[in-house]
Amino acid sequence: GRVSAGGVVPAVSKAGVLEEVAEREEEAEAPAAAPDDPASVDYHMQRIVAAIADGRNISEKQGDHYQAEARRILQSIHDVAPDALKALAEKNYVFYADIDALTAVARTVKLKSCETLKNGMIAGLYIAKTNTLHLDGNEEGTPGPLTGEHYAHEMAHAIDPEQDGYSAAPAWIKAWESELKDGQLYEGTAIHNNAGRSAREGFAEFFRLVTAGFSKKGPITLAQLQDRYPKAIAHFQEQKQYTTKLEQK
């Protein structure tokens, strides 16, 4: 596996890691020939494909998997939250070949919000100052649907400004306190749960549940979400975070 015993990441130079982060974020600028419509999946995919190609030590198999999962999530966002897709237009991406490298970067940057797994490793992070998503998400060791789940979580952070974003709305905070603060998400979902940490993390987890969530029995439906999270889903409806296409899932 790629995670060392006990989830320990080899010591790295802070200056060296920060220099590498700056270099990779600079390399993550959008390609000049990107499609013009930020509401289209292809617009975002061209940026992502270029970022994966620039990734260090990413195998062809990994790259194909990252692309497939990114397209799956972007298509879901396009279908259920088109405004969110547009909000991702100016974001940049950096992809990593393994979770150890991503964790080393995340621990050095010391952000308040990182998607921390049970073993202490980091599955993804968003750096608002540079509008950059740092992604791997493949902590399973083999390609799987959790990769896209982590992408959706970090994309949610990218569209949610920390001070005045969706998660700062009083209505969302009330819904989070009532239905998500206890840290429980839909029973049977194969996703890591950070929802109880804060209203902002709760928003990212719920966005992931809406756009990419699945249960052991299949995709999660609107009826299931309304039954388990009536206040949260009502807030999403009021904010037009998704369209009625969710009913088809």
Side-chain angles (χ1 to χ4, degrees):
R2 298 175 328 200
V3 179
S4 54
V8 178
V9 178
V12 293
S13 163
K14 179 176 180 180
V17 171
L18 290 176
E19 182 177 351
E20 179 177 339
V21 170
E23 289 177 355
R24 297 191 67 182
E25 289 186 344
E26 184 176 350
E27 294 170 356
E29 294 180 359
D36 294 332
D37 185 5
S40 74
V41 171
D42 287 342
Y43 173 92
H44 300 274
M45 279 305 302
Q46 182 158 330
R47 299 165 66 92
I48 286 173
V49 168
I52 292 172
D54 288 338
R56 299 177 183 176
N57 302 317
I58 296 177
S59 69
E60 183 177 353
K61 182 178 179 180
Q62 280 180 304
D64 290 345
H65 174 62
Y66 287 6
Q67 288 185 41
E69 283 296 283
R71 182 173 289 278
R72 178 174 73 86
I73 299 307
L74 289 170
Q75 187 60 57
S76 179
I77 294 174
H78 174 273
D79 291 344
V80 306
D83 288 343
L85 192 64
K86 296 177 184 177
L88 290 170
E90 302 304 321
K91 309 305 178 183
N92 301 311
Y93 300 86
V94 174
F95 287 88
Y96 296 81
D98 59 69
I99 202 167
D100 293 304
L102 177 52
T103 298
V105 168
R107 290 181 177 174
T108 303
V109 176
K110 294 183 179 180
L111 292 181
K112 294 180 181 179
S113 178
C114 293
E115 190 168 13
T116 307
L117 305 175
K118 292 179 181 179
N119 61 6
M121 305 300 279
I122 306 299
L125 68 151
Y126 171 65
I127 301 179
K129 185 176 181 180
T130 57
N131 281 331
T132 304
L133 293 91
H134 292 257
L135 302 170
D136 167 49
N138 196 15
E139 86 282 357
E140 298 171 299
T142 56
L146 276 181
T147 300
E149 298 279 319
H150 294 309
Y151 292 177
H153 178 101
E154 296 307 325
M155 288 176 181
H157 281 316
I159 66 168
D160 181 35
E162 192 163 355
Q163 301 301 323
D164 57 355
Y166 295 110
S167 62
W172 171 255
I173 293 175
K174 289 182 179 179
W176 172 74
E177 290 176 340
S178 175
E179 300 172 347
L180 297 167
K181 191 175 181 179
D182 60 3
Q184 296 179 1
L185 282 177
Y186 184 76
E187 183 178 0
T189 54
I191 59 177
H192 179 63
N193 173 23
N194 284 323
R197 290 172 54 189
S198 66
R200 191 163 188 264
E201 283 298 320
F203 174 82
E205 286 292 319
F206 197 69
F207 183 89
R208 167 160 65 175
L209 198 61
V210 169
T211 60
F214 60 93
S215 72
K216 294 178 180 178
K217 296 181 180 179
I220 295 171
T221 66
L222 175 60
Q224 289 172 317
L225 289 172
Q226 288 176 324
D227 179 64
R228 177 63 181 83
Y229 307 105
K231 295 179 181 178
I233 202 67
H235 179 70
F236 265 50
Q237 287 176 311
E238 291 170 3
Q239 296 298 313
K240 297 182 179 179
Q241 277 297 297
Y242 70 94
T243 70
T244 55
K245 289 184 179 181
L246 180 60
E247 298 176 11
Q248 302 171 10
K249 292 182 66 177

PDB file of all heavy atoms in Angstrom, residues 65 177 242:
ATOM      1  N   HIS A  65      -8.102   6.948 -14.557  1.00  0.00           N
ATOM      2  CA  HIS A  65      -9.076   6.856 -13.468  1.00  0.00           C
ATOM      3  C   HIS A  65      -9.425   8.238 -12.933  1.00  0.00           C
ATOM      4  O   HIS A  65     -10.600   8.556 -12.716  1.00  0.00           O
ATOM      5  CB  HIS A  65      -8.524   5.986 -12.343  1.00  0.00           C
ATOM      6  CG  HIS A  65      -9.387   5.955 -11.124  1.00  0.00           C
ATOM      7  ND1 HIS A  65     -10.677   5.469 -11.137  1.00  0.00           N
ATOM      8  CD2 HIS A  65      -9.162   6.376  -9.852  1.00  0.00           C
ATOM      9  CE1 HIS A  65     -11.205   5.580  -9.922  1.00  0.00           C
ATOM     10  NE2 HIS A  65     -10.302   6.132  -9.138  1.00  0.00           N
ATOM     11  N   GLU A 177     -26.837  22.234  12.339  1.00  0.00           N
ATOM     12  CA  GLU A 177     -26.924  21.934  13.772  1.00  0.00           C
ATOM     13  C   GLU A 177     -27.990  20.889  14.059  1.00  0.00           C
ATOM     14  O   GLU A 177     -27.822  20.035  14.930  1.00  0.00           O
ATOM     15  CB  GLU A 177     -27.218  23.210  14.560  1.00  0.00           C
ATOM     16  CG  GLU A 177     -26.042  24.189  14.594  1.00  0.00           C
ATOM     17  CD  GLU A 177     -26.396  25.479  15.307  1.00  0.00           C
ATOM     18  OE1 GLU A 177     -27.612  25.776  15.427  1.00  0.00           O
ATOM     19  OE2 GLU A 177     -25.467  26.181  15.752  1.00  0.00           O
ATOM     20  N   TYR A 242     -29.308  22.871  -6.615  1.00  0.00           N
ATOM     21  CA  TYR A 242     -29.452  21.788  -7.588  1.00  0.00           C
ATOM     22  C   TYR A 242     -30.809  21.946  -8.253  1.00  0.00           C
ATOM     23  O   TYR A 242     -31.697  22.622  -7.764  1.00  0.00           O
ATOM     24  CB  TYR A 242     -29.331  20.415  -6.928  1.00  0.00           C
ATOM     25  CG  TYR A 242     -30.500  20.054  -6.040  1.00  0.00           C
ATOM     26  CD1 TYR A 242     -31.563  19.325  -6.546  1.00  0.00           C
ATOM     27  CD2 TYR A 242     -30.541  20.465  -4.715  1.00  0.00           C
ATOM     28  CE1 TYR A 242     -32.646  19.011  -5.748  1.00  0.00           C
ATOM     29  CE2 TYR A 242     -31.616  20.154  -3.923  1.00  0.00           C
ATOM     30  CZ  TYR A 242     -32.669  19.416  -4.433  1.00  0.00           C
ATOM     31  OH  TYR A 242     -33.735  19.104  -3.648  1.00  0.00           O
TER      32      TYR A 242
END
